[in-house]
Amino acid sequence: MNEKILLIIPAYNEEENILDTYNSIVTYNKENNTLYDVIVINDGSVDNTDKILKENKIPHVSLIGNLGIGGAVQTGYKYAKENDYSIAIQFDGDGQHDVAYVKDIIQPIINNKADMVIGSRFVQGSTSDFKSTKARQMGIRIISFFIKMFTKTKIFDVTSGFRAIDRNLIEKFANDYPLEYPEPISTTEIILQNYKVAEVPVKMRERLGGVSSIRSWKNVYYMINVLLSIIIIKFRRYK
Amino acid sequence: MPINLRIMVFIVALILALTIYKVLKHGLVPVKYSLLWILSIIVMLLIAVFPNFLIFISKAMGFVTLANMIAGVFIVVLFFITISLTIIVSTQKKRITLLVQEVSLLKENIKKE
């Protein structure tokens, strides 16, 4: 197995968590003899994130402005494409994701069973204690139902930010990636273009610090946008 | 349509025309984005000069007064202008995102060398 694996960590004001997250990956690599590379995309943070990245020599790209999660992750995909990675994994910098599950989410790609693999809290076998709030779970269920209705594919954890993609999708996302609400929208788009999406159970922790990018008062707005986008994507024609 | 109202519409149209002329002359806006504005001004001038024709149309379309039709037409025109502006802004946003990404990656590459 000669896969070149990159963990893309988007970071916006993550001074409290980013070093711990990076160290956990380095430690894991040492203990398990893996070679996961890391690139942190600093999305125009206004705290000490940039200083921490430089002082600890963490591999990073500092965006010259704030692009939001979609633009930041896409920068990671561009980096992955330029440096010829065969698998790119989106990984949160806030301590929610556990690097030990990376081997599970890359497995379906290595076995050619999927083009994208989503680390899921809700699929059978997930032992995740942390499953987010009731309201948010409800939202995720509704989006999941919509995606099923329009693509005939059941995805459980539609907003999971723990995802692996293969070389084809790295190339595709480097050129074209949704800037707003990227996770559910990109998933819907690629299913309709006949890419295979798999879900594997992972355990997620509660955020160690900082503020989630989805704030509660924005949830209704988020839902309306995502659901409308899914409908519109269905009406697009793909070559 | 009272003559003083017609004169006022005429004057307002002239002021708008002058404004757009200045904006175009200084190259602040490309001509293609000003076409809708120019069209609106021409319509205003027509209203001031030939009100009877418009009164006929507004009656035929079921408007109670000419003023209602004018307001209605302008709201529709403004809708289209706003939609076209939204498209322009969204296109710009995509380009800016691309620029930020490419410049940031380039900066990183330069640092490495």
Side-chain angles (χ1 to χ4, degrees):
Chain A
M1 149 187 151
N2 262 329
E3 304 287 351
K4 241 183 117 188
I5 295 160
L6 177 71
L7 300 189
I8 298 165
I9 308 182
Y12 177 68
N13 294 349
E14 293 283 7
E15 59 182 4
E16 290 170 45
N17 307 308
I18 195 67
L19 186 57
D20 290 342
T21 304
Y22 179 69
N23 285 338
S24 77
I25 297 164
V26 172
T27 313
Y28 183 88
N29 273 338
K30 266 186 210 146
E31 286 172 356
N32 297 276
N33 229 350
T34 48
L35 290 168
Y36 302 151
D37 285 340
V38 173
I39 188 81
V40 176
I41 311 294
N42 176 18
D43 190 11
S45 296
V46 289
D47 63 355
N48 288 317
T49 303
D50 200 52
K51 206 173 136 213
I52 292 168
L53 291 172
K54 278 186 187 135
E55 277 174 2
N56 296 283
K57 298 206 164 55
I58 300 173
H60 69 280
V61 172
S62 270
L63 297 180
I64 56 173
N66 175 262
L67 292 182
I69 182 81
V73 171
Q74 190 186 28
T75 311
Y77 292 143
K78 283 178 196 243
Y79 179 91
K81 184 185 161 192
E82 267 178 27
N83 296 282
D84 202 34
Y85 282 94
S86 55
I87 298 179
I89 297 152
Q90 184 186 337
F91 192 85
D92 276 5
D94 59 11
Q96 275 196 79
H97 299 157
D98 186 343
V99 63
Y101 288 97
V102 168
K103 65 175 190 317
D104 297 333
I105 73 167
I106 61 177
Q107 210 52 50
I109 293 179
I110 294 169
N111 298 336
N112 270 324
K113 291 219 171 80
D115 304 294
M116 174 194 276
V117 185
I118 300 171
S120 173
R121 286 162 290 181
F122 306 118
V123 85
Q124 273 235 321
S126 170
T127 48
S128 197
D129 329 307
F130 170 63
K131 296 197 193 244
S132 192
T133 61
K134 280 269 175 288
R136 201 167 295 175
Q137 274 190 52
M138 191 49 142
I140 290 169
R141 265 201 215 120
I142 297 169
I143 297 171
S144 175
F145 173 76
F146 253 68
I147 292 180
K148 164 87 180 161
M149 202 160 66
F150 285 96
T151 68
K152 301 189 171 61
T153 308
K154 188 71 186 173
I155 305 290
F156 290 92
D157 204 345
V158 288
T159 59
S160 168
F162 192 10
R163 319 197 294 173
I165 58 172
D166 68 359
R167 201 187 286 272
N168 284 335
L169 280 178
I170 290 174
E171 171 101 31
K172 180 179 162 50
F173 284 168
N175 292 326
D176 182 27
Y177 193 66
L179 297 180
E180 318 274 353
Y181 326 109
E183 287 91 5
I185 289 171
S186 60
T187 309
T188 310
E189 280 176 348
I190 63 165
I191 293 172
L192 287 174
Q193 292 170 75
N194 296 320
Y195 289 93
K196 271 174 286 173
V197 178
E199 252 182 308
V200 298
V202 297
K203 200 170 185 166
M204 288 192 198
R205 288 179 295 246
E206 218 150 339
R207 304 173 49 81
L208 297 174
V211 187
S212 167
S213 57
I214 308 171
R215 259 154 303 199
S216 56
W217 61 272
K218 277 189 173 168
N219 279 356
V220 175
Y221 182 67
Y222 178 91
M223 288 296 294
I224 293 170
N225 273 303
V226 169
L227 297 182
L228 253 179
S229 304
I230 292 169
I231 298 170
I232 304 240
I233 291 164
K234 179 67 184 175
F235 287 111
R236 274 189 205 143
R237 289 273 169 274
Y238 291 109
K239 278 171 254 167
Chain B
M1 200 173 173
I3 184 74
N4 41 3
L5 184 61
R6 286 171 63 184
I7 292 171
M8 210 176 74
V9 170
F10 192 81
I11 291 172
V12 169
L14 280 185
I15 292 172
L16 281 177
L18 200 71
T19 310
I20 290 195
Y21 169 73
K22 285 219 155 169
V23 166
L24 285 175
K25 200 174 123 186
H26 289 110
L28 296 177
V29 169
V31 173
K32 74 168 186 177
Y33 294 143
S34 68
L35 287 184
L36 260 176
W37 298 111
I38 293 171
L39 196 73
S40 311
I41 290 168
I42 292 171
V43 171
M44 278 178 86
L45 288 173
L46 286 176
I47 291 169
V49 181
F50 308 110
N52 289 336
F53 178 62
L54 275 156
I55 290 168
F56 170 75
I57 292 178
S58 75
K59 285 259 157 60
M61 285 172 76
F63 285 101
V64 177
T65 68
L66 178 60
N68 282 352
M69 187 184 82
I70 292 170
V73 167
F74 272 90
I75 287 171
V76 171
V77 169
L78 288 176
F79 256 114
F80 276 105
I81 290 174
T82 315
I83 290 171
S84 75
L85 285 176
T86 312
I87 293 170
I88 294 164
V89 169
S90 307
T91 316
Q92 308 284 42
K93 190 183 167 181
K94 268 190 199 163
R95 286 192 193 141
I96 291 169
T97 300
L98 183 67
L99 274 175
V100 169
Q101 289 174 334
E102 295 298 335
V103 170
S104 307
L105 284 166
L106 252 175
K107 263 177 97 176
E108 191 49 38
N109 282 345
I110 290 167
K111 253 188 248 158
K112 257 190 249 162
E113 276 159 18

